[in-house]
Every structure is written in structure tokens, then in C-alpha cells.
């Protein structure tokens, strides 16, 4: 009887240790942490009407991201975001001063790509609003491809389909 309790306690302690272990952060999970960046970019979007919109940024698109150039696309967004924040000043969004670094860090979670992706300067120049919209769209695409997001969508539809109103 004592042996069974000892074995049970050992199994329980192992289980607790496994649960207490911090989750491993991989490049894939880092790519899935875009929600904070999206919120900060939306703050910039809201500030756009009050700012001078004379400048134009090189603006990659979701298509650039999807065509095997995610690192180049995100690095371009980061570089142009820095220019935009410098032009508008930090007063627009105090949390946005290091937003370009967060996007760069996100870019570095991707593998190196072919030179065919091209430099940022070959992207079309767009106004700040279009630039920020395309950045949000790209980040949302990244977020939608995360396993956690997909799981939430599946659970949402499963709950929707099994709800009493749907039957």
C-alpha cells in the first residue's frame, strides 16, 4: 500500500513539474505574438488624421509576404515604420517608440530568403494610412496562421453549431 502511494506521489510531482515549466518559445510561437503590435499600429492609424500626411512610405503588401518573402516584407515595414514614427514624433503614441524594433524582431523569426525578394525601395510608395492598413493586414494574416488562432476559430464554430439556437 505504501509503495502505491509513493508511486502516486511521484507521478503527481512529475505532473506538477511539467505544468509548472514555462512554455518553450520557438520562432513559430514568436510569429504568433502579433496582437500587441496590431494594437499599437491601430493607435497610429487613429492618430493619422491629425498628422501631416505628406510623406510616403515604401509599402509591401500581403502578397509580398505570402510569396516567400516574409522577412523582407517585415523588415521593410519596420524600416518605414521608424521613418513614420520619427516624422510624426513620439507624442502621437508613447507606446509606439519601439514599434519598429518589435516588427524587426518579428521579421527575424523568419528564415533567410532568396535575393529575388528585392529591396524595400522597389515597393510602391503609399501614404501613411495605406501603409498602416497594409501592415495591419499582414500582421492579421500572420496571426490567422497561428495554431492557437485556428484552434479558437474551430472551437467558436463548434460551439456555434452545437448551440440550441442553431438546432
Amino acid at each position: 500500500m505504501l509503495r502505491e502511494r509513493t508511486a502516486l506521489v511521484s507521478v503527481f510531482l512529475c505532473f506538477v513539474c511539467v505544468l509548472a515549466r514555462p512554455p518553450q518559445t520557438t520562432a513559430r510561437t514568436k510569429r504568433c505574438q502579433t496582437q500587441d503590435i496590431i494594437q499599437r499600429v491601430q493607435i497610429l492609424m487613429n492618430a493619422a488624421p491629425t498628422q501631416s500626411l505628406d510623406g510616403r512610405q515604401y509599402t509591401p503588401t500581403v502578397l509580398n509576404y505570402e510569396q516567400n518573402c516574409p522577412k523582407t516584407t517585415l523588415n521593410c515595414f519596420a524600416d518605414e515604420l521608424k521613418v513614420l514614427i520619427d516624422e510624426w514624433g513620439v507624442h502621437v503614441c508613447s507606446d509606439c517608440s519601439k514599434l519598429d524594433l518589435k516588427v524587426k524582431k518579428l521579421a527575424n523569426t523568419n528564415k533567410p530568403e532568396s535575393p529575388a525578394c528585392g529591396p524595400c525601395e522597389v515597393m510602391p510608395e503609399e501614404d501613411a494610412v495605406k501603409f498602416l492598413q497594409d501592415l495591419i493586414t499582414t500582421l492579421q494574416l500572420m496571426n490567422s496562421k497561428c495554431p492557437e488562432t485556428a484552434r479558437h476559430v474551430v472551437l467558436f464554430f463548434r460551439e456555434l453549431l452545437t448551440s440550441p439556437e442553431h438546432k
Side-chain angles (χ1 to χ4, degrees):
M1 188 80 164
L2 187 59
R3 274 189 164 174
E4 290 174 6
R5 284 187 186 168
T6 307
L8 186 59
V9 168
S10 296
V11 169
F12 177 74
L13 287 175
C14 288
F15 183 70
V16 168
C17 290
V18 168
L19 288 178
R21 187 188 84 207
Q24 292 180 344
T25 304
T26 63
R28 184 177 183 143
T29 57
K30 285 181 183 175
R31 278 194 297 274
C32 294
Q33 298 172 353
T34 60
Q35 204 57 40
D36 176 53
I37 297 172
I38 291 171
Q39 289 172 347
R40 291 173 191 224
V41 173
Q42 286 173 331
I43 291 170
L44 282 177
M45 283 279 296
N46 294 337
T50 64
Q51 299 302 309
S52 166
L53 300 177
D54 296 337
R56 298 177 69 74
Q57 279 69 41
Y58 294 112
T59 306
T61 63
V62 171
L63 193 59
N64 297 118
Y65 179 85
E66 289 180 318
Q67 292 177 336
N68 296 324
C69 296
K71 189 170 191 162
T72 301
T73 300
L74 291 171
N75 276 325
C76 182
F77 273 125
D79 293 342
E80 294 300 303
L81 195 54
K82 179 166 179 38
V83 170
L84 185 67
I85 292 170
D86 287 346
E87 284 178 6
W88 286 2
V90 180
H91 67 278
V92 173
C93 169
S94 58
D95 291 341
C96 299
S97 62
K98 294 187 179 178
L99 189 55
D100 59 310
L101 298 176
K102 287 182 177 279
V103 176
K104 277 263 192 219
K105 199 173 193 179
L106 202 57
N108 289 332
T109 63
N110 292 286
K111 296 176 185 168
E113 26 193 70
S114 78
C117 291
C120 190
E121 290 75 19
V122 300
M123 307 291 175
E125 290 185 59
E126 301 288 350
D127 64 39
V129 173
K130 174 80 169 106
F131 169 80
L132 293 170
Q133 286 172 340
D134 285 355
L135 173 55
I136 288 173
T137 303
T138 302
L139 293 170
Q140 287 172 335
L141 173 75
M142 290 174 65
N143 206 30
S144 72
K145 291 184 177 186
C146 294
E148 189 64 23
T149 304
R151 187 175 70 79
H152 286 299
V153 170
V154 168
L155 291 175
F156 170 78
F157 282 111
R158 184 177 295 152
E159 186 177 313
L160 183 69
L161 293 173
T162 58
S163 69
E165 302 95 37
H166 190 269
K167 290 181 179 180

